[in-house]
Amino acid sequence: MIPDMDLKIHSRDIDTLIGRMKEYGSEADFSAVRRAYDLAARLHEGQKRLSGEPYITHPLEVALNLTMLHMDSVTLCAALLHDAVGKTEADLNLIEKELGAEAACLVDGVTKISVMKNKSRTVAQAETLRKMLIATVKDLRVIIIKLADKQHNMRTIMFHREEDQKTIAGETLEIYAPIAKRLGMSKISSELEDLSFQVLYKEEYGLIKNELAEREGERQKYIENVSRLLNERLAGAGLHLEITGRAKNYFSIFRKMKMQNKSFDEIYDLRGIRVITEEVKDCYAVLGLVHTMWTPIAGRFKDYIAVPKSNMYQSLHTTVIGPEGHHLEVQIRTREMHETAQVGIAAHWLYKDNMAAKGESYKNIAVLNDINRLFNESGSSLQFLKDLKMNLYEDEIFVFTPKGKIVRLARDSTPVDFAFAIHSEVGMKAAGAKVNGKIVPLKTKLKSGDIVEILTSKTAHPSAGWLKFVRSSGARYKIRSWIKKNEQPAEDTDSKKEEKKEAPEAEVIVPQEEQIKLSRLSENKKSMVSIDGTSNILIKLAQCCQPIPGDDVVGFITRGRGISIHKRSCTSLRPMLREKERFVSIVWESSPKNFYPVRLNVEAKDRPNLLKDVADEIALCRANVIKVEAALKTEDRALLKFILEVSGSEHMKEIIGRLKRLKSIIDVYKSEGKVVLSK
Ligand code: MN
């Protein structure tokens, strides 16, 4: 999403700016903007940017960025003078005299955000952020100018020394990009992300860029095909709409790969299209058609039109199984919703007829209330930064207790997770829940900002059914141990059955003649193996299920990336099941020389020397312990979590069998958790 750099800055001047303004606002105060430009040019006279260009090119570019958001003339005046106070001898009085109090106030806001020096990085960041948000609540235009400023600074970051580049990019990625995102300004936020990403992770950036370029043709074709099919159906229904593929944000691909521990292919396999309609009712008509053409995936439909996100985002989302079995994400929205999705909060200016919009009218925007509430509830700047970040990362939500305490949970958490997060006793006695004042089922998925109240009862107790929907491992563990302790055989078997149901076996049937014998997989899990002695193919053990020799596995032929080996029960195979021809069967051959990391949990009554005895036994089995975590789960019960290296599932069984015979051991089991080994 990085735009082609337009470095012909010298060719732009105040007339370029005025020209851009005329495209959207005929009533603007052009003479004020000219006055601001002349004043800025005079003040910055003789100053140079690191690029060697006259300094005035920077405020001019910032103002030009703001015309993309159709900002009013006062904002553009302030943008032209945003570096004047501090970098020149000008003060606010001068600006107020020349351009009025409103512009001076905006300049003041922007200036205050930037003066954070001589503090530790985290503290400085937290305070910058806090200042920025105070300014935002007072007048949104301050933050919008600041973001446009960052945008130009990031576009010209290559003129800094390399280590300065890293500092600036880090701050941009941690503060400015998330703020832009929070305000719904997705176009700016993804540009800031990608520009920072390029500086901070040069190598990864290059890799993703290459991968994308390599697959672009195939992807384009797929999207074109889908668009054609959809267009035919729409035309049949009398609708003629714009269908586009979606812009790619390199950094979001990178983040997904990191956070979900997935390969490029797994992330990239998701294809997305967007349908832009004229009217809201058409959105729902298109949705209906899409669902008749391709099978929708349960739980993936979201109606952000009826319930907009707090940053004003509106759209319908659905995921269907598209042609060739690919998951296809479809976003459907009107043109106006689409533009709002790009510029977020700045859409207030986009759709304003008169250009004299005032900060006052933006005070009721949900996101501002959100920020305000966070702001009032967080004691220190650091806590505030933490709370805010919580709200920014997609994999986390934060919810409130009725008294306003913030509780942080993983996405898709339920009131049960919330109850255990408050206190295990609350979890143990949870009988029901209220979300935002309404009674809801305990399995309800919580959203950021929900106010959650747990109704407890003395006679209530955990139920095996909860295991079906709880997200946090802590809650899951406590529920399990309660069930074990209060063993009611009937319920226990139920819970086992239910757990089984959660992960049904993927039905992968593979023609026997295409067997691949896996003899050696080298340590980095990649290897060249021979199929029928004719060709060499790259083999990778899938990171999602981390199979080890002896596991029941199947191979999936990826596009251009060799074969990835998954457990037959791996849920990530499900979307690929339609493409039977891309599966091959896999036979493990004994390879005593290789070792694979696995997680092994040992539960035991605590006693002296417990850890030592268990570790000794593991050593006797010739397995390597990479990591161990020991914790007391109850007063007398210990949970030892090992990461071991084993040669395969037989080896694993041997270890489990021997550990189970040790004194005071309650249970030994392989944990399905992924093993991530940091280097
Ligand atoms: Mn600046």
Side-chain angles (χ1 to χ4, degrees):
M1 276 214 47
I2 294 185
D4 290 330
M5 293 283 295
D6 187 354
L7 286 173
K8 287 179 286 173
I9 286 168
H10 288 303
S11 65
R12 313 211 218 194
D13 56 19
I14 180 64
D15 292 325
T16 322
L17 180 62
I18 301 287
R20 287 262 186 92
M21 288 177 72
K22 283 190 173 149
E23 285 168 20
Y24 65 89
S26 51
E27 293 162 42
D29 188 348
F30 300 114
S31 76
V33 175
R34 279 190 191 277
R35 276 203 317 281
Y37 179 84
D38 291 340
L39 178 58
R42 204 171 70 228
L43 289 166
H44 289 294
E45 178 85 70
Q47 295 180 344
K48 289 227 176 329
R49 293 275 287 171
L50 284 176
S51 61
E53 288 164 314
Y55 198 89
I56 186 66
T57 55
H58 167 62
L60 179 64
E61 286 299 315
V62 173
L64 283 167
N65 286 346
L66 290 166
T67 60
M68 306 309 275
L69 304 172
H70 296 193
M71 299 302 288
D72 56 78
S73 28
V74 176
T75 309
L76 297 182
C77 290
L80 288 166
L81 288 158
H82 80 272
D83 276 337
V85 178
K87 285 205 171 78
T88 77
E89 78 267 21
D91 62 9
L92 285 172
N93 289 331
L94 175 71
I95 292 171
E96 185 170 345
K97 207 180 85 206
E98 298 282 325
L99 291 146
E102 204 181 331
C105 192
L106 290 177
V107 171
D108 186 34
V110 179
T111 309
K112 277 189 177 141
I113 291 173
S114 341
V115 287
M116 296 303 314
K117 294 276 169 303
N118 310 326
K119 300 236 180 174
S120 86
R121 193 161 147 259
T122 333
V123 172
Q125 281 191 355
E127 286 187 15
T128 308
L129 189 64
R130 193 178 173 103
K131 283 188 169 178
M132 199 144 52
L133 292 167
I134 300 171
T136 308
V137 174
K138 267 180 31 209
D139 191 327
L140 257 177
R141 292 172 295 182
V142 169
I143 191 104
I144 295 176
I145 297 171
K146 189 68 203 169
L147 289 169
D149 178 32
K150 263 287 142 187
Q151 198 178 10
H152 183 242
N153 285 337
M154 285 306 297
R155 284 180 184 175
T156 51
I157 194 166
M158 63 291 225
F159 298 110
H160 284 273
R161 285 187 313 172
E162 195 162 326
E163 63 180 276
D164 294 345
Q165 286 188 18
K166 293 230 151 102
T167 314
I168 297 167
E171 188 184 81
T172 303
L173 199 56
E174 281 180 36
I175 296 200
Y176 294 94
I179 291 268
K181 192 174 272 179
R182 192 73 189 94
L183 296 175
M185 303 168 75
S186 65
K187 215 173 183 171
I188 290 190
S189 78
S190 41
E191 185 182 339
L192 292 178
E193 278 177 353
D194 282 347
L195 289 168
S196 318
F197 175 42
Q198 190 174 9
V199 169
L200 293 170
Y201 303 90
K202 251 193 192 101
E203 200 173 310
E204 289 88 341
Y205 178 84
L207 284 175
I208 289 178
K209 199 173 166 186
N210 282 343
E211 299 263 23
L212 280 173
E214 246 173 56
R215 289 168 181 67
E216 193 47 31
E218 187 208 338
R219 184 188 176 93
Q220 287 279 346
K221 255 191 220 139
Y222 186 84
I223 299 294
E224 273 163 26
N225 180 35
V226 166
S227 304
R228 189 178 47 76
L229 293 170
L230 188 54
N231 252 328
E232 282 169 12
R233 284 295 281 269
L234 290 171
L239 292 163
H240 296 275
L241 305 171
E242 184 184 330
I243 302 171
T244 54
R246 300 218 303 263
K248 281 162 295 284
N249 176 204
Y250 299 152
F251 181 67
S252 79
I253 294 176
F254 173 68
R255 182 168 46 202
K256 277 188 197 150
M257 285 168 65
K258 279 251 147 151
M259 287 184 67
Q260 303 171 14
N261 199 12
K262 285 188 172 161
S263 69
F264 179 86
D265 272 316
E266 288 167 294
I267 301 290
Y268 187 75
D269 223 38
L270 263 179
R271 326 239 152 162
I273 58 163
R274 186 176 289 143
V275 183
I276 308 288
T277 71
E278 290 305 320
E279 287 179 67
V280 176
K281 66 174 173 41
D282 296 340
C283 292
Y284 293 94
V286 172
L287 178 77
L289 272 177
V290 167
H291 282 181
T292 58
M293 293 175 68
W294 299 295
T295 312
I297 294 172
R300 296 295 298 269
F301 169 62
K302 302 246 163 55
D303 187 348
Y304 295 119
I305 292 180
V307 188
K309 289 192 186 178
S310 64
N311 61 18
M312 310 177 21
Y313 179 87
Q314 287 191 294
S315 189
L316 296 178
H317 288 190
T318 186
T319 306
V320 296
I321 301 175
E324 298 165 39
H326 287 295
H327 275 198
L328 178 66
E329 280 183 333
V330 186
Q331 299 180 346
I332 308 162
R333 51 176 84 147
T334 63
R335 182 156 306 283
E336 183 167 333
M337 290 171 190
H338 181 54
E339 274 162 26
T340 301
Q342 314 273 304
V343 303
I345 234 158
H348 283 279
W349 286 271
L350 221 49
Y351 295 103
K352 273 267 148 28
D353 292 332
N354 75 24
M355 301 248 314
K358 292 260 161 52
E360 202 50 36
S361 48
Y362 314 113
K363 289 215 163 148
N364 324 336
I365 300 170
V367 67
L368 291 188
N369 292 337
D370 230 26
I371 288 171
N372 238 338
R373 183 170 56 181
L374 259 178
F375 181 60
N376 291 330
E377 277 157 4
S378 309
S380 66
S381 293
L382 276 178
Q383 182 57 37
F384 178 59
L385 179 67
K386 230 173 108 200
D387 293 343
L388 190 91
K389 277 188 175 165
M390 219 175 276
N391 200 3
L392 296 171
Y393 291 119
E394 291 154 5
D395 288 13
E396 289 178 320
I397 57 167
F398 74 94
V399 297
F400 297 89
T401 68
K403 284 187 182 162
K405 196 180 155 231
I406 295 176
V407 178
R408 163 190 168 162
L409 298 167
R411 196 174 69 178
D412 292 341
S413 286
T414 63
V416 173
D417 295 288
F418 173 87
F420 279 100
I422 297 285
H423 197 282
S424 1
E425 266 319 293
V426 180
M428 291 298 180
K429 296 287 167 213
K434 276 186 182 175
V435 171
N436 304 326
K438 271 192 219 135
I439 298 215
V440 298
L442 283 173
K443 65 175 182 198
T444 307
K445 286 182 181 170
L446 299 173
K447 295 188 305 293
S448 270
D450 280 346
I451 299 169
V452 188
E453 188 182 346
I454 298 298
L455 312 169
T456 55
S457 132
K458 271 184 199 147
T459 55
H461 60 75
S463 129
W466 292 1
L467 293 170
K468 278 194 285 189
F469 55 75
V470 288
R471 274 295 312 265
S472 79
S473 48
R476 185 172 287 273
Y477 177 81
K478 282 168 195 155
I479 297 165
R480 275 223 181 90
S481 18
W482 188 92
I483 291 170
K484 255 192 193 159
K485 213 183 273 170
N486 299 270
E487 250 161 357
Q488 293 144 322
E491 205 180 32
D492 203 36
T493 22
D494 268 345
S495 88
K496 266 187 196 145
K497 252 188 221 154
E498 272 156 6
E499 276 176 62
K500 267 227 171 96
K501 233 186 273 163
E502 267 182 276
E505 292 266 305
E507 283 162 35
V508 181
I509 300 149
V510 176
Q512 286 299 310
E513 62 272 22
E514 285 185 52
Q515 280 195 357
I516 293 177
K517 295 199 168 164
L518 276 192
S519 49
R520 284 186 62 95
L521 283 171
S522 64
E523 263 182 11
N524 62 5
K525 326 262 179 341
K526 286 182 184 172
S527 173
M528 308 296 275
V529 299
S530 170
I531 301 179
D532 307 333
T534 52
S535 59
N536 280 333
I537 285 194
L538 186 66
I539 301 273
K540 241 174 17 184
L541 293 177
Q543 278 302 300
C544 44
C545 52
Q546 295 188 328
I548 59 175
D551 283 340
D552 191 10
V553 290
V554 68
F556 181 72
I557 305 168
T558 64
R559 296 186 199 278
R561 310 275 303 164
I563 295 175
S564 64
I565 312 282
H566 294 260
K567 286 187 191 164
R568 218 171 263 268
S569 59
C570 176
T571 51
S572 59
L573 285 177
R574 272 187 243 167
M576 308 164 197
L577 289 183
R578 287 188 164 197
E579 297 172 88
K580 288 201 182 77
E581 69 286 352
R582 290 173 66 186
F583 283 96
V584 289
S585 67
I586 299 289
V587 179
W588 296 101
E589 283 191 342
S590 60
S591 54
K593 278 182 204 147
N594 288 307
F595 289 92
Y596 305 83
V598 290
R599 283 180 188 278
L600 182 77
N601 289 359
V602 179
E603 284 181 45
K605 266 217 160 70
D606 198 25
R607 62 171 170 83
N609 288 331
L610 173 68
L611 182 57
K612 181 181 176 296
D613 291 354
V614 173
D616 285 348
E617 196 66 24
I618 291 172
L620 285 174
C621 298
R622 304 163 323 278
N624 234 346
V625 175
I626 301 177
K627 198 178 157 197
V628 58
E629 266 174 53
L632 270 188
K633 276 307 175 180
T634 59
E635 222 172 44
D636 62 348
R637 190 180 278 205
L639 173 65
L640 310 177
K641 290 179 171 177
F642 286 93
I643 297 181
L644 303 177
E645 281 183 315
V646 300
S647 64
S649 59
E650 282 306 314
H651 191 193
M652 187 78 179
K653 274 182 208 150
E654 183 205 347
I655 296 169
I656 292 176
R658 282 177 64 162
L659 290 180
K660 276 187 172 163
R661 289 196 291 272
L662 287 181
K663 198 178 120 203
S664 88
I665 297 293
I666 297 163
D667 201 0
V668 184
Y669 53 94
K670 183 172 176 226
S671 156
E672 290 305 324
K674 255 182 253 171
V675 181
V676 183
L677 297 175
S678 46
K679 299 250 158 71

